[in-house]
Amino acid sequence: QVQLVESGGDLVQPGGSLRLSCAASRSIFILSTTGWYRQAPGKQRELVAEISSGGNRNYADSVKGRFTISRDNAQNTVALQMNSLKPEDTAVYYCNARRQSGLASTAWDYWGQGTQVTVSA
């Protein structure tokens, strides 16, 4: 099985920074759209940031200018640098890697276990 292992979640004060990291057990990111989603209590899971296999990036309006997504294909990792954190950023953050294909064996949609980010004074 392909595992996505996340790390970096923590308790941080407003205005602080955190860097989340996600590592895949196999080299799939180079062929994937990889991204970060988050889910706050009582809320639906939402897209935070994603980067396509071609390097195109998309950000949620609520985080643009503060968060940066990056990918290292050589190490098969994806990171989310979070700056100027706000209490409303508090959520469980999930790593995702997906690929659409007409051939089932070359298509995937993997999720990490989630890592807790809490922004509070």
Side-chain angles (χ1 to χ4, degrees):
Q1 297 84 31
V2 175
Q3 303 284 340
L4 301 183
V5 181
E6 298 160 299
S7 62
D10 207 347
L11 171 65
V12 65
Q13 294 185 359
S17 297
L18 284 174
R19 184 177 178 87
L20 306 182
S21 182
C22 174
S25 60
R26 289 159 59 181
S27 298
I28 62 168
F29 286 162
I30 192 170
L31 297 175
S32 301
T33 293
T34 61
W36 290 91
Y37 293 72
R38 68 186 181 188
Q39 187 168 21
K43 303 291 185 179
Q44 289 188 297
R45 189 174 300 186
E46 63 176 352
L47 174 68
V48 177
E50 65 180 3
I51 180 170
S52 73
S53 60
N56 297 317
R57 293 170 169 84
N58 291 313
Y59 296 94
D61 288 341
S62 60
V63 308
K64 61 183 180 182
R66 300 187 297 121
F67 291 9
T68 303
I69 188 170
S70 61
R71 187 181 65 227
D72 187 332
N73 290 328
Q75 295 195 340
N76 217 32
T77 59
V78 61
L80 184 69
Q81 179 66 46
M82 305 186 295
N83 299 326
S84 302
L85 284 162
K86 305 174 181 179
E88 50 262 46
D89 295 319
T90 297
V92 177
Y93 284 70
Y94 298 90
C95 178
N96 171 253
R98 66 185 186 275
R99 182 177 190 265
Q100 290 198 39
S101 175
L103 187 63
S105 62
T106 61
W108 53 76
D109 187 5
Y110 298 118
W111 292 89
Q113 80 287 348
T115 184
Q116 178 71 49
V117 172
T118 302
V119 184
S120 175

Coordinates of all heavy atoms in Angstrom, one line a residue, residues 26-114:
R26 N 6.1 5.6 -1.6 CA 6.5 5.3 -3.0 C 6.5 6.5 -3.8 O 5.8 7.5 -3.5 CB 5.6 4.2 -3.6 CG 5.9 2.8 -3.0 CD 4.7 1.9 -3.3 NE 4.4 1.7 -4.7 CZ 3.4 0.9 -5.2 NH1 2.6 0.3 -4.3 NH2 3.3 0.8 -6.5
S27 N 7.3 6.5 -4.9 CA 7.4 7.7 -5.7 C 6.2 7.9 -6.6 O 6.2 7.5 -7.8 CB 8.7 7.6 -6.6 OG 9.9 7.5 -5.8
I28 N 5.2 8.6 -6.1 CA 4.0 8.9 -6.8 C 3.8 10.4 -7.1 O 3.0 10.8 -7.9 CB 2.8 8.3 -6.1 CG1 2.6 8.9 -4.8 CG2 2.9 6.8 -6.0 CD1 1.2 8.6 -4.1
F29 N 4.5 11.2 -6.3 CA 4.2 12.7 -6.4 C 4.5 13.3 -7.7 O 3.8 14.2 -8.2 CB 4.9 13.4 -5.3 CG 4.3 13.3 -3.9 CD1 5.1 13.6 -2.8 CD2 3.0 12.8 -3.7 CE1 4.6 13.4 -1.5 CE2 2.5 12.6 -2.4 CZ 3.3 12.9 -1.3
I30 N 5.5 12.7 -8.4 CA 5.9 13.3 -9.7 C 4.8 13.2 -10.7 O 4.7 13.9 -11.7 CB 7.2 12.6 -10.2 CG1 7.8 13.4 -11.3 CG2 7.0 11.2 -10.5 CD1 9.2 13.0 -11.7
L31 N 3.9 12.2 -10.5 CA 2.8 12.0 -11.4 C 1.4 12.4 -10.9 O 0.4 12.2 -11.4 CB 2.7 10.5 -11.8 CG 3.9 9.9 -12.5 CD1 3.7 8.4 -12.7 CD2 4.1 10.6 -13.9
S32 N 1.5 13.1 -9.7 CA 0.3 13.4 -9.0 C 0.0 14.9 -8.9 O 0.9 15.7 -9.0 CB 0.3 12.9 -7.6 OG 0.5 11.5 -7.5
T33 N -1.3 15.3 -8.8 CA -1.6 16.5 -8.2 C -1.6 16.4 -6.7 O -2.3 15.5 -6.2 CB -3.0 17.0 -8.7 OG1 -3.0 17.3 -10.1 CG2 -3.4 18.3 -7.9
T34 N -0.8 17.1 -6.0 CA -0.7 17.0 -4.5 C -1.2 18.2 -3.9 O -1.1 19.3 -4.4 CB 0.8 16.7 -4.1 OG1 1.6 17.8 -4.5 CG2 1.3 15.5 -4.8
G35 N -1.8 18.0 -2.7 CA -2.4 19.2 -2.0 C -2.6 19.0 -0.6 O -2.4 17.9 0.0
W36 N -3.0 20.1 0.0 CA -3.4 20.1 1.5 C -4.8 20.5 1.6 O -5.2 21.5 1.0 CB -2.4 21.0 2.3 CG -1.0 20.5 2.4 CD1 0.0 20.8 1.6 CD2 -0.5 19.6 3.4 NE1 1.1 20.1 2.0 CE2 0.8 19.4 3.1 CE3 -1.1 19.0 4.5 CZ2 1.6 18.6 4.0 CZ3 -0.3 18.3 5.3 CH2 1.0 18.1 5.0
Y37 N -5.5 19.8 2.4 CA -6.9 20.1 2.8 C -7.0 20.2 4.3 O -6.1 19.8 5.0 CB -7.9 19.0 2.3 CG -8.0 18.8 0.8 CD1 -7.0 18.3 0.0 CD2 -9.2 19.2 0.2 CE1 -7.1 18.2 -1.3 CE2 -9.3 19.1 -1.2 CZ -8.3 18.6 -1.9 OH -8.5 18.4 -3.3
R38 N -8.0 20.9 4.7 CA -8.2 21.0 6.2 C -9.7 20.9 6.5 O -10.5 21.2 5.7 CB -7.6 22.3 6.7 CG -8.4 23.6 6.3 CD -7.7 24.8 6.7 NE -8.4 26.0 6.3 CZ -7.9 27.3 6.5 NH1 -6.7 27.4 7.0 NH2 -8.6 28.3 6.1
Q39 N -9.9 20.4 7.8 CA -11.3 20.3 8.3 C -11.3 20.7 9.7 O -10.6 20.2 10.6 CB -11.7 18.8 8.1 CG -13.2 18.6 8.5 CD -13.7 17.3 8.1 OE1 -12.9 16.3 7.9 NE2 -15.0 17.2 7.9
A40 N -12.1 21.8 10.0 CA -12.3 22.3 11.3 C -13.5 21.6 11.9 O -14.4 21.1 11.2 CB -12.5 23.8 11.3
P41 N -13.6 21.6 13.2 CA -14.8 20.9 13.9 C -16.1 21.5 13.3 O -16.3 22.7 13.3 CB -14.6 21.2 15.3 CG -13.1 21.4 15.5 CD -12.7 22.1 14.2
G42 N -17.0 20.6 12.9 CA -18.3 21.0 12.4 C -18.3 21.6 11.0 O -19.4 22.0 10.6
K43 N -17.2 21.5 10.4 CA -17.0 22.1 9.0 C -16.7 21.0 8.0 O -16.2 19.9 8.4 CB -16.0 23.1 8.9 CG -16.2 24.3 9.9 CD -17.3 25.2 9.5 CE -17.5 26.4 10.4 NZ -18.6 27.2 10.0
Q44 N -17.0 21.2 6.7 CA -16.6 20.3 5.7 C -15.1 20.5 5.4 O -14.5 21.5 5.6 CB -17.4 20.5 4.4 CG -18.9 20.1 4.5 CD -19.6 20.2 3.2 OE1 -19.7 21.3 2.6 NE2 -20.0 19.1 2.7
R45 N -14.5 19.4 4.9 CA -13.1 19.5 4.4 C -13.0 20.4 3.2 O -13.8 20.3 2.3 CB -12.6 18.1 4.1 CG -11.1 18.0 3.8 CD -10.7 16.5 3.6 NE -10.9 15.7 4.8 CZ -10.5 14.5 4.9 NH1 -9.8 13.9 4.0 NH2 -10.8 13.8 6.0
E46 N -12.0 21.2 3.2 CA -11.8 22.2 2.2 C -10.4 22.2 1.7 O -9.4 21.9 2.4 CB -12.2 23.6 2.7 CG -11.3 24.1 3.8 CD -11.6 25.6 4.2 OE1 -12.4 26.2 3.5 OE2 -11.0 26.0 5.2
L47 N -10.2 22.5 0.4 CA -8.9 22.6 -0.2 C -8.2 23.9 0.3 O -8.8 25.0 0.3 CB -9.0 22.7 -1.7 CG -7.7 23.0 -2.5 CD1 -6.8 21.7 -2.4 CD2 -8.0 23.3 -3.9
V48 N -7.0 23.7 0.7 CA -6.1 24.8 1.2 C -5.2 25.2 0.1 O -5.1 26.4 -0.3 CB -5.3 24.4 2.4 CG1 -4.4 25.6 2.8 CG2 -6.3 24.1 3.6
A49 N -4.4 24.3 -0.5 CA -3.5 24.5 -1.5 C -3.2 23.2 -2.3 O -3.3 22.1 -1.7 CB -2.2 25.1 -1.0
E50 N -2.9 23.4 -3.6 CA -2.5 22.2 -4.4 C -1.5 22.6 -5.4 O -1.4 23.8 -5.8 CB -3.7 21.6 -5.0 CG -4.4 22.4 -6.0 CD -5.6 21.8 -6.7 OE1 -6.0 20.6 -6.3 OE2 -6.2 22.4 -7.6
I51 N -0.7 21.6 -5.9 CA 0.2 21.8 -6.9 C 0.1 20.6 -7.9 O 0.1 19.5 -7.5 CB 1.7 22.0 -6.3 CG1 2.7 22.2 -7.5 CG2 2.1 20.8 -5.5 CD1 4.1 22.6 -7.0
S52 N 0.0 20.9 -9.2 CA -0.2 19.9 -10.1 C 1.2 19.2 -10.5 O 2.3 19.7 -10.1 CB -0.8 20.5 -11.4 OG 0.1 21.3 -12.1
S53 N 1.1 18.1 -11.2 CA 2.4 17.5 -11.7 C 3.2 18.4 -12.5 O 4.4 18.2 -12.6 CB 2.0 16.2 -12.4 OG 1.2 16.5 -13.6
G54 N 2.6 19.4 -13.2 CA 3.3 20.3 -14.0 C 3.8 21.6 -13.2 O 4.4 22.4 -13.8
G55 N 3.5 21.6 -11.9 CA 3.9 22.7 -11.1 C 3.0 23.9 -10.9 O 3.4 24.9 -10.3
N56 N 1.8 23.8 -11.5 CA 0.8 24.9 -11.3 C 0.2 24.8 -9.9 O -0.1 23.8 -9.4 CB -0.3 24.8 -12.3 CG 0.2 24.9 -13.7 OD1 1.0 25.8 -14.0 ND2 -0.3 24.1 -14.6
R57 N 0.1 26.0 -9.2 CA -0.4 26.1 -7.9 C -1.7 26.8 -7.7 O -1.9 27.8 -8.5 CB 0.7 26.8 -7.0 CG 2.0 26.0 -6.8 CD 3.0 26.9 -6.2 NE 4.2 26.2 -5.8 CZ 5.2 25.9 -6.6 NH1 5.2 26.3 -7.8 NH2 6.3 25.2 -6.1
N58 N -2.5 26.3 -6.8 CA -3.8 27.0 -6.5 C -3.9 27.1 -5.0 O -3.5 26.2 -4.3 CB -5.0 26.2 -7.1 CG -5.1 26.2 -8.6 OD1 -5.0 27.3 -9.2 ND2 -5.3 25.1 -9.2
Y59 N -4.5 28.2 -4.5 CA -4.6 28.4 -3.1 C -6.0 28.9 -2.8 O -6.7 29.6 -3.6 CB -3.7 29.5 -2.6 CG -2.2 29.2 -2.7 CD1 -1.4 29.6 -3.8 CD2 -1.6 28.5 -1.7 CE1 -0.1 29.2 -3.9 CE2 -0.2 28.2 -1.8 CZ 0.5 28.5 -2.9 OH 1.8 28.2 -2.9
A60 N -6.5 28.5 -1.6 CA -7.8 29.1 -1.2 C -7.6 30.6 -0.9 O -6.5 31.0 -0.5 CB -8.2 28.4 0.1
D61 N -8.6 31.3 -1.2 CA -8.5 32.8 -1.0 C -8.2 33.1 0.5 O -7.5 34.1 0.7 CB -9.9 33.5 -1.3 CG -10.2 33.5 -2.8 OD1 -9.2 33.3 -3.6 OD2 -11.3 33.7 -3.2
S62 N -8.6 32.3 1.4 CA -8.3 32.6 2.8 C -6.9 32.5 3.2 O -6.5 33.0 4.3 CB -9.2 31.7 3.7 OG -8.9 30.3 3.5
V63 N -6.1 31.8 2.4 CA -4.7 31.5 2.8 C -3.7 32.1 1.8 O -2.5 32.2 2.1 CB -4.4 30.0 2.9 CG1 -5.4 29.4 3.9 CG2 -4.4 29.3 1.6
K64 N -4.1 32.6 0.7 CA -3.1 33.1 -0.3 C -2.4 34.3 0.2 O -3.0 35.2 0.9 CB -3.8 33.5 -1.6 CG -4.9 34.5 -1.6 CD -5.5 34.7 -3.0 CE -6.6 35.8 -3.0 NZ -7.3 35.9 -4.3
G65 N -1.1 34.4 0.0 CA -0.3 35.4 0.5 C 0.3 35.0 1.9 O 1.3 35.6 2.3
R66 N -0.2 34.0 2.5 CA 0.3 33.5 3.8 C 0.9 32.1 3.7 O 1.8 31.8 4.5 CB -0.8 33.5 4.9 CG -1.4 34.9 5.1 CD -2.4 34.9 6.3 NE -3.5 34.1 6.0 CZ -3.9 33.0 6.8 NH1 -3.1 32.7 7.8 NH2 -4.9 32.3 6.5
F67 N 0.3 31.2 2.9 CA 0.7 29.9 2.8 C 1.4 29.6 1.5 O 1.1 30.2 0.5 CB -0.5 28.9 2.9 CG -1.2 28.8 4.2 CD1 -0.9 29.7 5.2 CD2 -2.1 27.9 4.4 CE1 -1.5 29.6 6.5 CE2 -2.8 27.8 5.7 CZ -2.5 28.7 6.7
T68 N 2.4 28.7 1.5 CA 3.1 28.3 0.3 C 3.2 26.8 0.2 O 3.7 26.2 1.2 CB 4.5 28.9 0.2 OG1 4.4 30.4 0.3 CG2 5.2 28.6 -1.1
I69 N 2.8 26.2 -0.9 CA 2.9 24.8 -1.1 C 4.1 24.5 -2.0 O 4.4 25.3 -2.9 CB 1.7 24.2 -1.7 CG1 1.8 22.6 -1.7 CG2 1.4 24.7 -3.1 CD1 0.4 21.9 -2.1
S70 N 4.9 23.5 -1.7 CA 6.0 23.1 -2.5 C 6.1 21.6 -2.5 O 5.6 20.9 -1.7 CB 7.3 23.7 -1.9 OG 7.5 23.3 -0.6
R71 N 6.9 21.1 -3.6 CA 7.0 19.7 -3.8 C 8.5 19.4 -4.1 O 9.1 20.1 -4.9 CB 6.1 19.2 -4.9 CG 6.0 17.7 -5.0 CD 5.1 17.3 -6.2 NE 5.6 17.8 -7.4 CZ 4.8 18.4 -8.3 NH1 3.5 18.6 -8.1 NH2 5.3 18.8 -9.5
D72 N 9.0 18.3 -3.6 CA 10.3 17.8 -3.9 C 10.2 16.4 -4.5 O 10.0 15.5 -3.7 CB 11.2 17.8 -2.6 CG 12.6 17.5 -2.9 OD1 12.9 16.8 -3.9 OD2 13.5 17.9 -2.2
N73 N 10.2 16.4 -5.8 CA 10.0 15.1 -6.4 C 11.1 14.1 -6.1 O 10.9 12.9 -6.1 CB 9.9 15.3 -7.9 CG 8.6 15.9 -8.3 OD1 7.6 15.8 -7.7 ND2 8.6 16.7 -9.4
A74 N 12.3 14.6 -5.9 CA 13.5 13.7 -5.6 C 13.3 13.0 -4.3 O 13.6 11.8 -4.2 CB 14.8 14.5 -5.6
Q75 N 12.7 13.7 -3.3 CA 12.5 13.1 -2.0 C 11.1 12.6 -1.8 O 10.7 12.0 -0.8 CB 12.9 14.1 -0.9 CG 14.3 14.4 -0.8 CD 14.7 15.1 0.5 OE1 13.9 15.7 1.2 NE2 16.0 15.1 0.8
N76 N 10.2 12.9 -2.8 CA 8.8 12.5 -2.8 C 8.1 13.0 -1.6 O 7.5 12.3 -0.8 CB 8.7 10.9 -2.8 CG 7.5 10.5 -3.6 OD1 7.1 11.1 -4.6 ND2 6.9 9.4 -3.3
T77 N 8.3 14.3 -1.4 CA 7.6 15.0 -0.3 C 6.9 16.3 -0.8 O 7.3 16.8 -1.8 CB 8.7 15.4 0.8 OG1 9.6 16.3 0.2 CG2 9.3 14.2 1.4
V78 N 5.9 16.7 0.0 CA 5.2 17.9 -0.3 C 5.1 18.6 1.0 O 4.8 18.0 2.1 CB 3.8 17.7 -1.0 CG1 2.9 16.8 -0.1 CG2 3.2 19.0 -1.3
A79 N 5.3 19.9 1.0 CA 5.3 20.7 2.2 C 4.3 21.9 2.1 O 4.0 22.3 1.0 CB 6.7 21.2 2.5
L80 N 3.8 22.4 3.2 CA 3.0 23.5 3.3 C 3.6 24.5 4.4 O 3.6 24.2 5.6 CB 1.6 23.2 3.7 CG 0.6 24.3 3.7 CD1 0.3 24.9 2.3 CD2 -0.8 23.9 4.4
Q81 N 4.2 25.6 3.9 CA 4.7 26.6 4.8 C 3.5 27.5 5.1 O 2.9 28.2 4.3 CB 5.8 27.4 4.1 CG 6.4 28.5 5.0 CD 7.1 28.0 6.2 OE1 7.9 27.0 6.2 NE2 6.8 28.6 7.4
M82 N 3.2 27.7 6.4 CA 2.1 28.5 6.9 C 2.7 29.6 7.7 O 3.3 29.4 8.8 CB 1.1 27.7 7.7 CG 0.6 26.4 6.9 SD -0.7 25.6 7.8 CE 0.3 25.0 9.2
N83 N 2.5 30.9 7.3 CA 2.9 32.0 8.0 C 1.7 32.9 8.4 O 0.6 32.7 7.9 CB 3.9 32.9 7.1 CG 5.1 32.1 6.7 OD1 5.7 31.3 7.5 ND2 5.6 32.4 5.5
S84 N 1.9 33.8 9.3 CA 0.9 34.7 9.8 C -0.4 34.0 10.2 O -1.5 34.3 9.7 CB 0.6 35.8 8.7 OG 1.8 36.5 8.4
L85 N -0.2 32.9 10.9 CA -1.4 32.1 11.3 C -2.4 32.8 12.1 O -2.1 33.6 12.9 CB -0.9 30.8 12.0 CG -0.2 29.8 11.1 CD1 0.6 28.8 11.9 CD2 -1.2 29.0 10.3
K86 N -3.6 32.4 11.8 CA -4.8 33.0 12.5 C -5.6 31.9 13.2 O -5.5 30.7 12.8 CB -5.7 33.7 11.5 CG -5.1 34.7 10.6 CD -6.0 35.2 9.5 CE -5.4 36.3 8.6 NZ -6.3 36.7 7.6
P87 N -6.4 32.3 14.2 CA -7.2 31.3 14.9 C -8.1 30.5 14.0 O -8.3 29.3 14.2 CB -8.0 32.1 15.9 CG -7.1 33.3 16.2 CD -6.4 33.6 14.9
E88 N -8.6 31.1 12.9 CA -9.4 30.4 12.0 C -8.7 29.4 11.1 O -9.4 28.7 10.4 CB -10.2 31.4 11.1 CG -9.3 32.5 10.5 CD -9.3 33.8 11.2 OE1 -9.2 33.8 12.5 OE2 -9.4 34.9 10.6
D89 N -7.4 29.4 11.2 CA -6.6 28.3 10.5 C -6.6 27.0 11.3 O -6.1 26.0 10.8 CB -5.2 28.8 10.3 CG -5.1 29.9 9.3 OD1 -5.8 30.0 8.3 OD2 -4.2 30.8 9.6
T90 N -7.2 27.0 12.5 CA -7.2 25.8 13.3 C -8.0 24.8 12.7 O -9.2 25.0 12.3 CB -7.8 26.2 14.7 OG1 -6.9 27.1 15.4 CG2 -7.9 24.9 15.6
A91 N -7.4 23.6 12.5 CA -8.1 22.5 11.8 C -7.1 21.3 11.8 O -6.0 21.4 12.1 CB -8.4 22.9 10.4
V92 N -7.7 20.2 11.4 CA -6.9 19.0 11.0 C -6.5 19.2 9.5 O -7.4 19.3 8.7 CB -7.6 17.7 11.3 CG1 -6.7 16.5 10.8 CG2 -8.0 17.5 12.7
Y93 N -5.2 19.1 9.2 CA -4.7 19.3 7.9 C -4.4 17.9 7.3 O -3.7 17.1 7.9 CB -3.5 20.2 7.9 CG -3.9 21.6 8.0 CD1 -4.3 22.1 9.3 CD2 -3.8 22.5 7.0 CE1 -4.7 23.5 9.4 CE2 -4.1 23.9 7.1 CZ -4.6 24.3 8.3 OH -4.9 25.6 8.5
Y94 N -4.9 17.7 6.1 CA -4.7 16.4 5.4 C -3.9 16.5 4.1 O -4.1 17.5 3.3 CB -6.0 15.7 5.1 CG -6.9 15.4 6.2 CD1 -7.8 16.4 6.7 CD2 -6.8 14.2 6.8 CE1 -8.6 16.1 7.8 CE2 -7.6 13.9 7.9 CZ -8.5 14.8 8.4 OH -9.3 14.5 9.5
C95 N -3.0 15.6 3.9 CA -2.2 15.6 2.7 C -3.0 14.7 1.7 O -3.5 13.7 2.0 CB -0.8 15.0 2.9 SG 0.2 14.8 1.5
N96 N -2.9 15.1 0.4 CA -3.6 14.3 -0.7 C -2.7 14.2 -1.9 O -2.0 15.2 -2.2 CB -4.9 15.0 -1.0 CG -5.6 14.4 -2.2 OD1 -5.6 15.0 -3.3 ND2 -6.2 13.2 -2.1
A97 N -2.8 13.1 -2.6 CA -2.1 12.9 -3.8 C -3.1 12.1 -4.7 O -3.6 11.1 -4.4 CB -0.8 12.1 -3.7
R98 N -3.4 12.7 -5.9 CA -4.4 12.1 -6.8 C -3.9 12.1 -8.2 O -3.1 13.0 -8.6 CB -5.7 12.8 -6.7 CG -5.8 14.2 -7.1 CD -7.1 14.9 -6.9 NE -7.2 16.2 -7.5 CZ -6.8 17.3 -6.9 NH1 -6.2 17.2 -5.7 NH2 -6.9 18.5 -7.4
R99 N -4.4 11.2 -9.0 CA -4.1 11.1 -10.4 C -5.3 10.5 -11.1 O -5.8 9.4 -10.7 CB -2.8 10.3 -10.7 CG -2.4 10.3 -12.2 CD -1.1 9.5 -12.4 NE -0.6 9.6 -13.7 CZ -0.8 8.8 -14.7 NH1 -1.5 7.7 -14.4 NH2 -0.3 9.0 -15.9
Q100 N -5.8 11.1 -12.1 CA -6.9 10.6 -12.9 C -6.3 9.9 -14.2 O -5.4 10.4 -14.8 CB -7.8 11.7 -13.4 CG -8.7 12.3 -12.3 CD -9.9 13.0 -12.8 OE1 -10.5 12.6 -13.7 NE2 -10.2 14.1 -12.1
S101 N -6.9 8.7 -14.5 CA -6.4 7.9 -15.6 C -7.5 7.0 -16.0 O -8.3 6.5 -15.2 CB -5.2 7.1 -15.2 OG -4.8 6.3 -16.3
G102 N -7.6 6.7 -17.3 CA -8.5 5.8 -17.8 C -8.2 4.3 -17.5 O -9.0 3.4 -17.6
L103 N -7.0 4.1 -17.1 CA -6.5 2.8 -16.6 C -6.4 2.8 -15.1 O -5.7 3.6 -14.5 CB -5.1 2.6 -17.2 CG -4.5 1.2 -17.0 CD1 -5.4 0.1 -17.7 CD2 -3.1 1.1 -17.5
A104 N -7.2 2.0 -14.5 CA -7.4 2.0 -13.0 C -6.1 1.8 -12.3 O -5.9 2.4 -11.2 CB -8.4 0.9 -12.6
S105 N -5.2 1.0 -12.8 CA -3.9 0.7 -12.2 C -3.0 1.9 -12.1 O -2.0 1.9 -11.4 CB -3.2 -0.5 -12.8 OG -2.9 -0.2 -14.2
T106 N -3.3 2.9 -13.0 CA -2.5 4.1 -13.0 C -3.2 5.4 -12.5 O -2.8 6.5 -12.7 CB -1.9 4.4 -14.4 OG1 -3.0 4.6 -15.3 CG2 -1.1 3.3 -14.9
A107 N -4.3 5.1 -11.8 CA -5.1 6.2 -11.2 C -5.1 6.0 -9.7 O -5.1 4.9 -9.2 CB -6.5 6.3 -11.7
W108 N -5.1 7.1 -8.9 CA -5.1 7.0 -7.5 C -5.6 8.2 -6.8 O -5.7 9.3 -7.4 CB -3.7 6.6 -6.9 CG -2.6 7.6 -7.4 CD1 -2.3 8.8 -6.9 CD2 -1.6 7.3 -8.3 NE1 -1.2 9.4 -7.5 CE2 -0.8 8.5 -8.4 CE3 -1.3 6.2 -9.1 CZ2 0.3 8.5 -9.3 CZ3 -0.2 6.3 -10.0 CH2 0.6 7.4 -10.1
D109 N -6.0 8.1 -5.5 CA -6.4 9.2 -4.7 C -6.1 8.8 -3.3 O -6.9 8.1 -2.6 CB -7.9 9.4 -4.9 CG -8.4 10.7 -4.2 OD1 -7.6 11.4 -3.6 OD2 -9.6 10.9 -4.2
Y110 N -4.9 9.2 -2.8 CA -4.4 8.9 -1.5 C -4.6 10.0 -0.5 O -4.5 11.2 -0.9 CB -3.0 8.4 -1.5 CG -2.7 7.2 -2.4 CD1 -1.9 7.4 -3.5 CD2 -3.2 6.0 -2.1 CE1 -1.6 6.3 -4.3 CE2 -3.0 4.9 -2.9 CZ -2.2 5.0 -4.0 OH -1.9 3.9 -4.8
W111 N -4.8 9.7 0.7 CA -5.0 10.6 1.8 C -4.1 10.3 3.0 O -3.9 9.1 3.3 CB -6.4 10.7 2.3 CG -7.3 11.3 1.3 CD1 -8.0 10.7 0.3 CD2 -7.7 12.7 1.2 NE1 -8.8 11.6 -0.4 CE2 -8.6 12.8 0.1 CE3 -7.3 13.9 1.9 CZ2 -9.1 14.0 -0.3 CZ3 -7.9 15.1 1.5 CH2 -8.8 15.1 0.4
G112 N -3.5 11.3 3.6 CA -2.8 11.1 4.9 C -3.7 11.0 6.0 O -5.0 11.1 5.9
Q113 N -3.2 10.7 7.2 CA -4.0 10.5 8.4 C -4.4 11.8 9.1 O -5.3 11.8 9.9 CB -3.2 9.7 9.4 CG -2.1 10.5 10.2 CD -0.9 10.9 9.4 OE1 -0.7 10.4 8.3 NE2 -0.1 11.8 10.0
G114 N -3.8 12.9 8.7 CA -4.2 14.2 9.2 C -3.2 14.6 10.3 O -2.8 13.8 11.1

